[in-house]
Amino acid sequence: MKEFLKNQQTVRIQWMNRLHQKVSKHLIFLDKKIILLTLALIVFGLIHIFSASMYVASANATNPITVVIKQTLSIMIGIILGMGIFIIPTKYFKNFRVLLAANIGVFLILLFTLIKGTISGGAKSWIYLMGFSFQPSELFKLLSIVSMSWAIGRVYREIILSKESFKKNKIIWILGSVMLLNLILIGLQPDFGMLLIIMASCALLWCVHILSKKVNMVIYFLVILGLSLVHMIASQVAPALIASKSHILERIGIFVNPFIDKSNVGYQLINGYVAFSRGGWTGVGMGNGLMKQGRLPEIQNDFIIANIAEENGFIVVFILFILYWTLFYIIFKRAAGSRDDFRARVISGMGIILFVQTTVNVAGVMGIIPMTGVTLPLISAGGSSMITTVLCIMIILKFVYEDRLEEFKLKSEKVDYGENQ
């Protein structure tokens, strides 16, 4: 009996050693810089979510870490789903039938949301299931990048072959039509913040991978010029825009001059300014902010950067921006160095999504652009947003992993070939 138990223990040890070797072999190809930066931002976010929500939780006699627990659960769900995506073969990511089926599935979910969904923040974009809220448009945010990455590759191929062939290629138009329908449904909710992020990200991805640098520069100049003209015109008619009672027009008028209606629609943006002003360089101290005491509703969501600025000051906000910019730089660098065009487009596309959403959130809180209600990636509280952001990072890690594994195999083959010679 002792001999049998000893043999069983030996077998278990050998199995564990083999498992450790296999796991270690694959772990070396993961991008540790992206993982560490993501973890740093997540931990930073959890700390400030707790700080931003603790006052309201105490006032309502609820557990002050409830929001943190929900956010942690969302992170775990994102990681589990991401691990599932990690093992899906890449061929399915660039399979037309799979992409079309996924877009049709999202279309049906968005249609159901438009009919039976719940209104929150002025948009009918939420579904509530078993006590949990879910925003289906977040799914399309990621799917649009993968679909656009496939379409760009197909378009580029047809342009090389012949323009006539491109005109006759129906599958691009079929997929594009379903994607357009999804965008229309998101606009009908209406969730213009999400619509802006998806359209801007897809447009940037297209410009980067299809158009020349000169054309891109012209487009960027025209966009800046257009935004400046909108600001100039809006500043002249801001009172009329605010009085229109239209949710979109109100936000345009308020971003131009929130003090026109400082006790109503301009209230949130003005208090955001106050938060930045109170914070100064070093902040008023962690947990000592006033804006979270009911002056900025849902401050742990899209206005969390205001709470960070108030309690920690400009220096910490600047450090946060450095973390973001470092993450974006590494992601775009990995995309530029990718050995596969499709992987390069997906990696850069996911990086663009994160960059655009971060820019839109911060610019909205600072009054540079109209407020959109979108969250700050990896920082703000929000289940659907956090899950899709973690999935976004996992997709990036998957394709970077495949690049490194492929490069390793090629180097090994060269070494073996050299030794055989």
Side-chain angles (χ1 to χ4, degrees):
M1 187 66 181
K2 289 183 179 179
E3 188 68 25
F4 174 76
L5 292 174
K6 186 177 181 180
N7 290 335
Q8 287 290 91
Q9 186 178 8
T10 303
V11 170
R12 283 197 296 270
I13 291 172
Q14 290 175 347
W15 181 83
M16 290 296 293
N17 286 334
R18 286 196 298 270
L19 179 63
H20 179 264
Q21 289 174 359
K22 287 182 179 180
V23 171
S24 299
K25 182 180 177 181
H26 290 284
L27 285 177
I28 61 173
F29 298 116
L30 291 176
D31 197 310
K32 295 176 181 61
K33 290 181 180 179
I34 292 178
I35 293 173
L36 289 174
L37 284 167
T38 302
L39 288 175
L41 288 168
I42 287 174
V43 172
F44 186 91
L46 289 173
I47 293 170
H48 287 87
I49 286 171
F50 174 74
S51 175
S53 60
M54 61 187 295
Y55 180 83
V56 174
S58 299
N60 295 332
T62 58
N63 192 335
I65 64 169
T66 299
V67 180
V68 177
I69 292 172
K70 288 183 177 179
Q71 187 79 345
T72 305
L73 181 61
S74 298
I75 294 166
M76 297 306 297
I77 292 172
I79 292 172
I80 292 170
L81 293 175
M83 291 173 68
I85 288 176
F86 212 91
I87 61 177
I88 296 175
T90 303
K91 63 180 181 180
Y92 294 113
F93 283 82
K94 47 186 175 182
N95 183 288
F96 167 73
R97 291 183 178 86
V98 173
L99 292 174
L100 181 62
N103 275 278
I104 292 173
V106 170
F107 170 79
L108 294 174
I109 297 172
L110 288 172
L111 185 61
F112 175 81
T113 306
L114 192 62
I115 298 170
K116 296 289 186 179
T118 304
I119 297 176
S120 179
K124 198 175 186 179
S125 55
W126 296 88
I127 298 175
Y128 282 84
L129 294 171
M130 297 182 296
F132 290 93
S133 60
F134 176 68
Q135 191 176 8
S137 55
E138 289 281 354
L139 288 175
F140 184 61
K141 185 171 69 176
L142 300 184
L143 181 59
S144 65
I145 290 298
V146 179
S147 300
M148 182 61 73
S149 298
W150 174 86
I152 289 172
R154 190 83 184 188
V155 168
Y156 188 70
R157 171 180 172 272
E158 299 302 339
I159 288 174
I160 292 175
L161 293 176
S162 71
K163 291 184 179 179
E164 187 65 27
S165 178
F166 170 61
K167 290 177 183 178
K168 293 180 179 179
N169 198 326
K170 295 180 180 179
I171 62 175
I172 296 176
W173 299 108
I174 292 171
L175 183 62
S177 299
V178 180
M179 291 176 66
L180 180 60
L181 288 173
N182 288 333
L183 289 172
I184 291 172
L185 288 178
I186 293 172
L188 290 174
Q189 291 177 354
D191 188 352
F192 291 105
M194 182 63 70
L195 193 64
L196 171 64
I197 289 172
I198 294 173
M199 292 181 66
S201 300
C202 288
L204 277 172
L205 185 61
W206 181 277
C207 290
V208 169
H209 290 279
I210 290 292
L211 304 179
S212 64
K213 290 183 179 179
K214 289 183 179 180
V215 175
N216 274 313
M217 293 302 295
V218 172
I219 291 174
Y220 301 152
F221 173 76
L222 291 175
V223 169
I224 294 172
L225 181 62
L227 291 173
S228 301
L229 288 174
V230 169
H231 189 279
M232 289 174 59
I233 296 171
S235 63
Q236 300 300 316
V237 295
L241 293 175
I242 295 171
S244 68
K245 302 301 179 182
S246 167
H247 186 67
I248 301 171
L249 296 179
E250 278 183 351
R251 290 199 170 191
I252 294 174
I254 285 304
F255 112 90
V256 172
N257 186 0
F259 296 94
I260 294 175
D261 192 3
K262 58 185 178 181
S263 61
N264 191 15
V265 290
Y267 178 81
Q268 191 174 26
L269 187 56
I270 290 172
N271 278 308
Y273 293 161
V274 173
F276 278 94
S277 176
R278 291 190 76 249
W281 285 97
T282 57
V284 296
M286 195 71 176
N288 296 326
L290 291 178
M291 295 301 108
K292 64 186 179 186
Q293 298 178 20
R295 300 190 182 187
L296 264 175
E298 300 296 328
I299 192 173
Q300 72 272 18
N301 295 332
D302 49 314
F303 263 76
I304 195 168
I305 190 69
N307 185 70
I308 295 171
E310 182 185 14
E311 296 189 346
N312 298 279
F314 175 75
I315 294 175
V316 172
V317 172
F318 182 70
I319 293 171
L320 176 62
F321 288 165
I322 290 176
L323 288 175
Y324 270 120
W325 280 105
T326 306
L327 178 62
F328 299 150
Y329 172 77
I330 292 173
I331 290 172
F332 293 134
K333 185 178 179 181
R334 299 294 183 263
S338 178
R339 306 180 68 89
D340 179 83
D341 290 338
F342 177 76
R343 289 198 294 257
R345 289 191 294 271
V346 173
I347 294 170
S348 62
M350 294 299 166
I352 288 171
I353 279 277
L354 295 172
F355 170 76
V356 170
Q357 186 166 333
T358 303
T359 303
V360 168
N361 174 273
V362 175
V365 173
M366 292 182 173
I368 300 172
I369 64 172
M371 292 184 295
T372 58
V374 300
T375 57
L376 186 61
L378 300 171
I379 301 293
S380 294
S384 299
S385 177
M386 178 55 77
I387 290 171
T388 52
T389 303
V390 173
L391 284 175
C392 182
I393 296 294
M394 292 295 284
I395 291 171
I396 292 169
L397 290 173
K398 170 186 171 60
F399 287 122
V400 172
Y401 166 85
E402 290 182 358
D403 269 326
R404 291 183 170 185
L405 183 61
E406 186 178 305
E407 185 177 0
F408 175 77
K409 289 179 178 178
L410 287 173
K411 287 182 178 180
S412 299
E413 289 174 1
K414 287 180 181 180
V415 172
D416 292 340
Y417 178 79
E419 290 177 353
N420 291 332
Q421 292 295 315

